[in-house]
Amino acid sequence: MAVLHDARFLRESLAPEADAVPDVGGVSIDSRTLRPGDLFFALAGEDPRYRGAGGGGRDGHDFVAAAAASGAAAAVVSHRTGADLPELVVPDPYGALLALARAARDRLAAESRVFAVTGSSGKTTARGMLTAGLEACGLRVHASEGSLNNHLGVPLSLARTPADAQAAVFEIGTNSHGEIEPLSELVRPDVSVLLNVLPVHLEGLGDLAGVRREKLTIAAGLGASGCLVIEETVRPPEDLRARLCLCRFGRGAGADVRLEDDGGAVQVRFADGRVLRTDFLAEGPHRRSTACAVLAAIDAAGLDPAAALPAVAAVAPPAGRGRIVTRGGVRIVDDAYNANPASVRLALAGALELDAAAHVALLGDMLELGDAAEALHAGLADACTGFDRVFCVGPLMASLHEALAPGQRGGWWPDCERLDLAAVIAAAPPGSVVLVKGSNRGFWKHGTVTALANALADRDA
């Protein structure tokens, strides 16, 4: 077992009541995914400090025995359970997880580069691109995994940081006010990246101005020498402009790192006159914008974006976030993990960039949009121009279905269970592109992309 935290580091970080503290190979808060050698934190099922991050409603102490059976090296508990493993007793296991996260951050070498990434969309894609770019610059990189971007996921990811990491990348998300700031202060990034501000989570954040205020708190953890990489149209308040180094990226003349992708080769132009040219940066205007932000962040960290460029361009989108799956001669653009009005428009534009015998969109409800939800759904009709057929799923998407030109209406269904995939397939002959986009409680949860891909493969058989 490779040692992540040795016994001395754990004793100093956690100050537990324990006769023997072992070395551990990892950190876990879930006995179902725990790996042998991990340190298991028995967290309370619900805690207001999680700020909606979950916990499942079950006390982690109920699963210490399961953690032991899965090979946990030890468990951090508030009281002994009698399980067959060392139990490190602390007053507050969640507080202990935060303490371990801070200690892991503190022990990184001064020359290491730590990044925090937020935005209304594109965070996971940016994290993957940034990780690949940093590795191409020759650094040992630690990055958060999956969707560990909340008040449980961020400290867990930080606590998993190896001592010899030369760079670390953390994704930070939110759906209500006050979530990003303490996580940024926990991570203490050298470079913070704000990808975009879009009308997302309006139920919790109120309006676009509320989204902007919350997202800008990604700068809270930056020190005096830190840099905020920010989309050029997002205007930070005066106190941030005075306190921090700002690097603006985007397509406008005011960008410090400017993306030029209006035809032919893509160029990324830096304020000092450097120009990076590439035949391919990413599929779709939104992912090229994300790649531009990543190159700006690498440059802001004092690294070479030219060395990172090929690796950044080679990163395929994650499943559910724009990955292209080809079955039966049809390219499925799997963008089913999440959706908001701006990201749907960008995904539609990106799909139209792909040459196709027919362009088909399968769109699901966009959630957490508040009172404006129906109008925002109907307002997507103009963005669907150029699509041969648009299929809609969900009660809110009924508004878009009615707003579409009659010739574009492929069909509407109230939920994924009643979706007729045969109708979608009939509109997509070989050579077609099918975009699947919606909030993750729809297509992602129901495995719609997999079902569509299997059905197309069967058609081709």
Side-chain angles (χ1 to χ4, degrees), residues 34-59:
L34 179 145
R35 291 171 290 193
D38 279 359
L39 176 64
F40 176 68
F41 280 79
L43 302 181
E46 301 293 344
D47 188 314
R49 294 173 296 174
Y50 301 165
R51 301 189 66 92
R58 296 290 302 275
D59 187 339

Side-chain angles (χ1 to χ4, degrees), residues 120-121 123-124 146-150 171 174-175 200-201 319-322 334-341 343-344 362-369 377 393-394 396-397 415-417 436-449:
S120 298
S121 68
K123 295 182 292 296
T124 301
S147 295
L148 296 179
N149 64 13
N150 57 29
E171 179 182 331
T174 183
N175 61 13
V200 182
H201 303 305
R321 295 176 171 90
D334 174 13
D335 215 337
Y337 186 78
N338 223 332
N340 60 68
S343 70
V344 172
L362 175 58
L363 304 179
D365 279 356
M366 305 176 293
L367 304 179
E368 299 183 30
L369 294 178
H377 282 74
V393 178
L396 293 170
M397 272 294 165
D415 51 50
C416 290
E417 289 83 356
V436 183
K437 181 75 171 171
S439 290
N440 58 24
R441 278 177 267 175
F443 302 136
W444 178 263
K445 178 181 177 182
H446 289 86
T448 301
V449 169

Side-chain angles (χ1 to χ4, degrees), residues 3-332:
V3 174
L4 175 67
H5 302 313
D6 62 26
R8 178 179 177 179
F9 182 73
L10 292 178
R11 281 193 295 268
E12 292 174 350
S13 304
L14 306 178
E17 296 177 17
D19 296 329
V21 178
D23 297 343
V24 302
V27 180
S28 175
I29 60 173
D30 189 336
S31 62
R32 296 167 297 182
T33 56
L34 179 145
R35 291 171 290 193
D38 279 359
L39 176 64
F40 176 68
F41 280 79
L43 302 181
E46 301 293 344
D47 188 314
R49 294 173 296 174
Y50 301 165
R51 301 189 66 92
R58 296 290 302 275
D59 187 339
H61 292 80
D62 296 340
F63 300 95
V64 175
S70 295
V76 177
V77 297
S78 62
H79 58 272
R80 298 190 186 280
T81 69
D84 186 22
L85 82 174
E87 295 188 295
L88 314 185
V89 180
V90 299
D92 171 18
Y94 181 63
L97 178 62
L98 294 175
L100 184 60
R102 293 189 190 97
R105 175 65 179 90
D106 288 344
R107 74 177 177 181
L108 288 175
E111 61 272 16
S112 65
R113 279 86 161 185
V114 177
F115 299 79
V117 179
T118 197
S120 298
S121 68
K123 295 182 292 296
T124 301
T125 298
R127 186 190 70 205
M129 287 179 171
L130 187 50
T131 300
L134 292 168
E135 289 175 343
C137 290
L139 302 182
R140 290 187 298 275
V141 185
H142 168 72
S144 52
E145 301 174 355
S147 295
L148 296 179
N149 64 13
N150 57 29
H151 274 69
L152 293 177
V154 173
L156 177 62
S157 297
L158 188 54
R160 290 172 169 173
T161 306
D164 65 350
Q166 296 170 309
V169 182
F170 300 98
E171 179 182 331
I172 300 181
T174 183
N175 61 13
S176 62
H177 286 293
E179 294 188 345
I180 291 178
E181 181 173 358
L183 297 177
S184 177
E185 291 173 339
L186 182 69
V187 169
R188 299 193 344 257
D190 301 295
V191 178
S192 287
V193 182
L194 175 48
L195 295 169
N196 43 51
V197 172
L198 306 173
V200 182
H201 303 305
L202 298 182
E203 289 181 2
L205 296 171
D207 55 19
L208 194 60
V211 177
R212 173 182 168 275
R213 286 194 301 273
E214 176 65 16
K215 293 295 184 183
L216 281 167
T217 62
I218 192 69
L222 290 169
S225 61
C227 183
L228 175 61
V229 175
I230 186 169
E231 204 276 328
E232 62 168 330
T233 63
V234 180
R235 299 302 179 199
E238 182 60 38
D239 62 324
L240 277 184
R241 292 200 298 268
R243 180 173 72 86
L244 294 173
C245 161
L246 293 178
C247 175
R248 297 175 178 85
F249 72 92
R251 293 177 172 86
D256 302 302
V257 179
R258 189 165 76 248
L259 175 63
E260 300 171 352
D261 63 341
D262 55 354
V266 177
Q267 295 188 148
V268 179
R269 189 178 300 273
F270 293 82
D272 61 5
R274 287 172 296 153
V275 178
L276 300 182
R277 295 178 177 85
T278 178
D279 291 331
F280 177 82
L281 186 56
E283 295 281 7
H286 50 316
R287 291 185 183 84
R288 288 194 292 275
S289 179
T290 297
C292 179
V294 165
L295 294 171
I298 288 171
D299 188 59
L303 300 167
D304 182 7
L309 176 62
V312 171
V315 173
R321 295 176 171 90
R323 178 169 292 177
I324 295 178
V325 179
T326 302
R327 295 289 188 278
V330 174
R331 284 171 291 172
I332 305 169

Side-chain angles (χ1 to χ4, degrees), residues 326-330 332 425 450-461:
T326 302
R327 295 289 188 278
V330 174
I332 305 169
I425 291 169
T450 298
L452 177 61
N454 290 342
L456 284 166
D458 289 342
R459 181 182 74 173
D460 194 47

